Amino acid sequence: MDVIDAIYARRAVKHFDPSHRLTAEEERRLLEATIQAPTSFNIQHWRFVILRDPALRATIRKDYGNDQAQITDASLLVLFTADTKAWSKQPERYWVKAPQPVAELLVGWMGPFHQGREWLQRDEAQRSIGLAMQTLMLAATGMGYQSCPMIGFEIEKLAELIHLPEDHVMGPMVAIGKGTQDPWPKPGQLGLDELVVENGF
């Protein structure tokens, strides 16, 4: 599918065929596409929690997910998290294929840029999560699947349930699968004249 077509075709679908399964190859293709998303300093600090166990999904839906059907019914349910300290964990590995002067420069910048700026570490993690989520959803659309980004769950409780490390942050979930109902019409789109500002406010 053309990229522009995929952007317009992607909608949040709430109802999925619970009997449909992605093949292992389809799942790998989706995730390989997702990790093509950009990250600051090429840190790649996203960590994708594949919520596969049916009993776990049922618990999340019933106890922490506001009984949203897509939690149990989607073919693939991905919880997006990110390691806020990835910049300090062997950062040279993010630039292993770059020319040595480039790698040394960027690895050298990474520490001073992040050190002591916890707010920035968190912001960068969440920005990267957003870019990866959109990449996953567009890839799914291009493969003929539907998706639904989800934040309507008890974040702290789910973090406990998956044993989220202390230096990680939680992001939304994305459900992927075969939709069984058309999405609602788009509820309203602001015009560019309200959204675009030339050179400053």
Side-chain angles (χ1 to χ4, degrees):
M1 181 183 288
D2 176 82
V3 175
I4 297 295
D5 291 341
I7 289 169
Y8 280 92
R10 186 218 58 81
R11 298 294 309 285
V13 169
K14 308 289 186 181
H15 302 280
F16 293 92
D17 178 356
S19 67
H20 182 270
R21 298 288 179 269
L22 295 176
T23 67
E25 177 56 33
E26 286 176 316
E27 183 176 315
R28 182 171 185 82
R29 191 171 164 209
L30 280 171
L31 294 173
E32 289 283 2
T34 301
I35 64 173
Q36 305 312 306
T39 56
S40 181
F41 288 97
N42 199 38
I43 289 174
Q44 306 161 68
H45 42 187
W46 351 262
R47 300 295 180 262
F48 312 113
V49 182
I50 308 299
L51 299 167
R52 198 180 310 279
D53 177 45
L56 176 62
R57 284 212 211 177
T59 296
I60 294 169
R61 175 178 173 174
K62 177 178 176 288
D63 296 339
Y64 310 124
N66 298 304
D67 198 30
Q68 296 179 84
Q70 60 268 40
I71 294 174
T72 54
D73 295 353
S75 304
L76 180 66
L77 187 62
V78 183
L79 173 63
F80 283 74
T81 74
D83 182 352
T84 62
K85 303 299 182 186
W87 58 272
S88 65
K89 299 174 180 177
Q90 297 177 286
E92 63 280 355
R93 63 195 168 127
Y94 311 133
W95 291 91
V96 69
K97 293 183 179 179
Q100 187 175 353
V102 173
E104 289 177 356
L105 178 68
L106 288 164
V107 172
W109 279 354
M110 216 176 294
F113 182 77
H114 291 94
Q115 187 71 45
R117 304 167 85 188
E118 280 71 19
W119 61 270
L120 179 66
Q121 296 168 28
R122 184 180 181 85
D123 286 356
E124 285 296 330
Q126 293 293 359
R127 275 190 279 271
S128 295
I129 284 172
L131 289 163
M133 286 177 60
Q134 182 72 339
T135 302
L136 172 62
M137 291 186 291
L138 291 177
T141 302
M143 290 173 60
Y145 287 111
Q146 288 72 50
S147 62
C148 183
M150 304 171 59
I151 197 61
F153 56 89
E154 294 186 39
I155 296 168
E156 294 84 0
K157 296 290 188 182
L158 186 51
E160 291 178 13
L161 192 63
I162 65 162
H163 310 292
L164 186 77
E166 287 187 10
D167 56 4
H168 286 48
V169 293
M170 292 278 283
M173 291 189 281
V174 174
I176 304 284
K178 280 290 184 188
T180 58
Q181 295 183 22
D182 291 333
W184 300 324
K186 283 198 172 183
Q189 182 68 60
L190 298 177
L192 290 178
D193 58 343
E194 189 173 344
L195 303 174
V196 177
V197 178
E198 294 281 350
N199 300 319
F201 286 90

